[in-house]
Amino acid sequence: MDYPEPIAQLIESYMKLPGIGAKTATRLAFYTIDMDGDDVTGFAKSLISAKRDLHFCSICGNITEEDPCAICSDKSRDQSTILVVEEPKDIMSMESMREYHGLYHVLHGVLSPIEGKGPEDINITSLVKRLQEHDEVKEVIVATNATPEGEATAMYLSRLIKPAGIKVTRLAHGLSVGSDIDYADEVTLLKAVEGRTEM
Amino acid sequence: MDYPEPIAQLIESYMKLPGIGAKTATRLAFYTIDMDGDDVTGFAKSLISAKRDLHFCSICGNITEEDPCAICSDKSRDQSTILVVEEPKDIMSMESMREYHGLYHVLHGVLSPIEGKGPEDINITSLVKRLQEHDEVKEVIVATNATPEGEATAMYLSRLIKPAGIKVTRLAHGLSVGSDIDYADEVTLLKAVEGRTEM
């Protein structure tokens, strides 16, 4: 005996999500059947709406309903700084800090020779074009992740942008606030020592 | 800056699923936006369909599109045995064994005084009615989980059904096939010794 068709299809759909295997998908599918009807309808609607109503901002690549996005069209923001991130959700992390008031640019990935991802596969051309068209930009802050690919991408961007006379900076590496030196890995510790500041 | 409304709603929907917190929900929502459009539409449709087209079988409580379910309406199955499980998905586990050809009954839960769940909160009344109406049933196999609640439920069912002259059996406890005695807990080991069979 197989599962009834509707639940078999729902299990298959759940399995298309990252990190969800057959066991978890089955558990989620049975849970869905027991859920409130309105919640399920709302879930289905939000799936459709997220796919249909969201686009990438034609300027910065952020996810948005209107084009350009709320940040790009906010003229009160500092137009002289662009912070470069890997993914749209990194923008939310930065915004939650409430201290950065410049613009953003989303790469939608990183350079990765192993995965065959070169400069033309991520959102770099539009960044260069943006810098050429807007000479009020004085600084590009590269906030790619502290992974080998993130570092390589930061290095690539720096070499590409610096010759145009624009300042290129990178987020500081060091100990997490509240963390214990005991638990820091050697590379982080080295970066923390190298980047030490005077008190 | 908050997330655009469609993605905020999708994150909220994902968070209603069990074991999915804010971080995972956000990751899944952003993944959904990058998914193939047809896959997302299919996902939404399967959610609606699973909730709308699936019901509980009026005889055994299994999940089904038609009532009675495929197992209850299959007259070639052994009508003299009913295997009692906690949840519909347990039926699939039993069926995957391909050795049991009798009928099922789904309790949709277990007795749990701590959670205030008594006999009237799970599917017991319909089981008793079924046994009264079908005197061809000779054996009830209780396949509740090997938890305290599962054991208590099995005991309760046994006391309820035995006086009617119906044989009540319980799944064997013991070592998992392929498992190491070293790693078995004491209670399992005790059950394995108690239930030893002659070779």
Side-chain angles (χ1 to χ4, degrees):
Chain A
M1 190 213 151
D2 293 325
Y3 282 113
E5 189 59 19
I7 199 156
Q9 288 203 340
L10 184 54
I11 292 172
E12 215 174 278
S13 286
Y14 273 125
M15 281 177 69
K16 289 194 175 130
L17 297 173
I20 293 185
K23 282 262 173 188
T24 310
T26 307
R27 194 167 56 92
L28 292 177
F30 276 98
Y31 184 87
T32 308
I33 295 169
D34 289 337
M35 267 167 78
D36 184 70
D38 288 346
D39 281 350
V40 176
T41 316
F43 189 4
K45 277 188 188 154
S46 62
L47 279 168
I48 298 285
S49 161
K51 187 70 198 175
R52 185 192 54 204
D53 303 334
L54 292 176
H55 315 277
F56 294 130
C57 171
S58 59
I59 300 176
C60 72
N62 187 15
I63 244 160
T64 178
E65 275 186 283
E66 288 104 35
D67 191 21
C69 73
I71 295 178
C72 286
S73 45
D74 180 354
K75 293 300 165 206
S76 75
R77 293 188 74 111
D78 174 9
Q79 306 286 316
S80 72
T81 320
I82 294 182
L83 191 146
V84 179
V85 292
E86 290 182 19
E87 300 296 342
K89 61 176 179 286
D90 298 332
I91 293 186
M92 292 309 303
S93 306
M94 289 292 164
E95 287 292 286
S96 66
M97 185 176 65
R98 295 173 190 278
E99 283 293 332
Y100 177 75
H101 305 291
L103 304 173
Y104 290 96
H105 196 85
V106 184
L107 294 179
H108 290 283
V110 275
L111 298 177
S112 171
I114 295 173
E115 293 176 29
K117 265 187 163 175
E120 65 288 346
D121 298 313
I122 61 176
N123 218 357
I124 288 181
T125 321
S126 62
L127 174 62
V128 174
K129 193 165 154 257
R130 216 173 145 186
L131 294 174
Q132 284 164 347
E133 287 171 4
H134 299 272
D135 57 5
E136 65 269 34
V137 180
K138 302 294 174 223
E139 181 177 355
V140 170
I141 306 172
V142 185
T144 50
N145 291 323
T147 57
E149 288 84 3
E151 296 290 346
T153 308
M155 193 61 75
Y156 180 89
L157 286 177
S158 156
R159 286 191 191 152
L160 192 74
I161 299 167
K162 256 187 173 168
I166 299 166
K167 190 174 162 189
V168 182
T169 54
R170 179 100 180 88
L171 294 190
H173 290 307
L175 298 172
S176 305
V177 174
S179 75
D180 208 301
I181 290 183
D182 264 18
Y183 291 97
D185 63 286
E186 295 147 27
V187 183
T188 303
L189 218 48
L190 176 65
K191 295 274 184 191
V193 173
E194 281 176 358
R196 66 192 180 280
T197 52
E198 210 174 306
M199 315 180 43
Chain B
M1 189 216 152
D2 293 323
Y3 283 113
E5 188 59 19
I7 198 155
Q9 288 203 340
L10 184 55
I11 293 172
E12 215 173 279
S13 287
Y14 272 126
M15 281 177 69
K16 289 194 176 132
L17 297 174
I20 294 185
K23 282 261 171 188
T24 310
T26 307
R27 194 168 55 92
L28 291 178
F30 276 98
Y31 184 88
T32 308
I33 295 168
D34 289 337
M35 267 167 78
D36 183 69
D38 289 345
D39 282 349
V40 176
T41 317
F43 189 4
K45 278 187 189 156
S46 62
L47 278 168
I48 298 285
S49 161
K51 187 70 198 174
R52 186 191 53 204
D53 303 335
L54 292 176
H55 315 277
F56 295 129
C57 172
S58 59
I59 300 176
C60 73
N62 187 15
I63 244 160
T64 179
E65 276 184 282
E66 289 104 34
D67 192 18
C69 74
I71 294 178
C72 286
S73 46
D74 181 354
K75 292 299 165 209
S76 75
R77 294 188 75 112
D78 174 11
Q79 307 286 316
S80 72
T81 319
I82 293 181
L83 192 147
V84 179
V85 293
E86 290 182 18
E87 300 296 343
K89 60 175 179 289
D90 297 333
I91 292 186
M92 292 309 303
S93 306
M94 288 293 163
E95 286 293 285
S96 66
M97 184 176 66
R98 294 173 192 280
E99 283 293 333
Y100 177 74
H101 305 292
L103 305 173
Y104 291 96
H105 197 86
V106 185
L107 294 179
H108 289 284
V110 274
L111 298 179
S112 171
I114 295 171
E115 292 174 31
K117 265 187 164 176
E120 65 289 346
D121 298 314
I122 61 175
N123 219 357
I124 287 182
T125 320
S126 63
L127 175 62
V128 173
K129 193 162 152 262
R130 217 174 144 186
L131 294 174
Q132 283 164 347
E133 287 171 4
H134 299 273
D135 57 5
E136 65 270 32
V137 180
K138 302 293 172 225
E139 181 176 355
V140 170
I141 306 173
V142 184
T144 50
N145 291 322
T147 56
E149 289 84 4
E151 296 290 348
T153 309
M155 194 61 76
Y156 180 87
L157 286 177
S158 156
R159 286 190 190 153
L160 193 72
I161 300 167
K162 255 186 174 169
I166 299 167
K167 191 172 160 189
V168 182
T169 55
R170 180 100 180 88
L171 293 190
H173 290 307
L175 298 171
S176 304
V177 175
S179 76
D180 209 300
I181 289 181
D182 265 20
Y183 290 97
D185 63 285
E186 296 146 27
V187 183
T188 302
L189 218 48
L190 176 64
K191 295 273 184 191
V193 172
E194 282 177 357
R196 66 192 179 279
T197 53
E198 210 173 307
M199 316 181 39

